[in-house]
Amino acid sequence: MAKETEKVNISQSKNAEKKQVPLRLSPTLYADLAAWAEDDFRSINGQIEYLLTEAVKKHKGK
């Protein structure tokens, strides 16, 4: 039980450190991202964060 609580606390502290970024998307792009997120069982925000993380990893790998 202590390990589960520790994982939750770590997760919460990581989320508290996240920055908020206003983002404007076209309705078409939003709909496409929403459909893709649903296919991947993610929220739209989670999908955007995942895609950006993968793009940064790819860029750093150059």
Side-chain angles (χ1 to χ4, degrees):
M1 182 77 163
K3 287 185 180 184
E4 288 179 27
T5 304
E6 185 177 313
K7 286 180 184 178
V8 170
N9 289 339
I10 291 170
S11 177
Q12 288 172 348
S13 71
K14 285 182 181 180
N15 287 335
E17 296 171 8
K18 289 187 177 187
K19 302 295 183 186
Q20 294 183 0
V21 179
L23 180 63
R24 291 178 184 87
L25 303 172
S26 71
T28 304
L29 179 57
Y30 184 89
D32 289 343
L33 284 169
W36 192 359
E38 187 175 328
D39 289 346
D40 289 352
F41 303 103
R42 291 189 181 100
S43 66
I44 294 171
N45 189 73
Q47 188 73 2
I48 291 169
E49 185 173 8
Y50 169 77
L51 293 170
L52 288 172
T53 300
E54 292 301 307
V56 169
K57 285 180 189 177
K58 184 177 177 182
H59 177 74
K60 285 183 176 182
K62 286 186 174 184

